[in-house]
Amino acid sequence: MHFKERLRELRLDSGLTQAKLAEKLSVTDTTIRHWEAGRSQPSIQLLVILSDLFDVTLDYLVGKTNSLPLSEPK
């Protein structure tokens, strides 16, 4: 799975619209649409924010691995 599919999956699983995700990231909803269509990709800083927001590793977010780590107690 590539980043664009993974992002869409995580966004939908979190119950976020493209507009709501864009608002959380301080980007436009067009930016989110472009990411999900594979037309562009976020900066490394935004990838880190996305991984924190969805509580996944960067490797999972970008499709390098399919395994989710077990959540650690906070």
Side-chain angles (χ1 to χ4, degrees), residues 39-62:
R39 290 186 201 118
S40 63
Q41 295 181 355
S43 67
I44 189 67
Q45 293 88 351
L46 284 172
L47 284 172
V48 170
I49 292 168
L50 284 165
S51 72
D52 288 343
L53 176 69
F54 294 124
D55 196 25
V56 296
T57 64
L58 284 170
D59 283 350
Y60 182 81
L61 182 61
V62 299

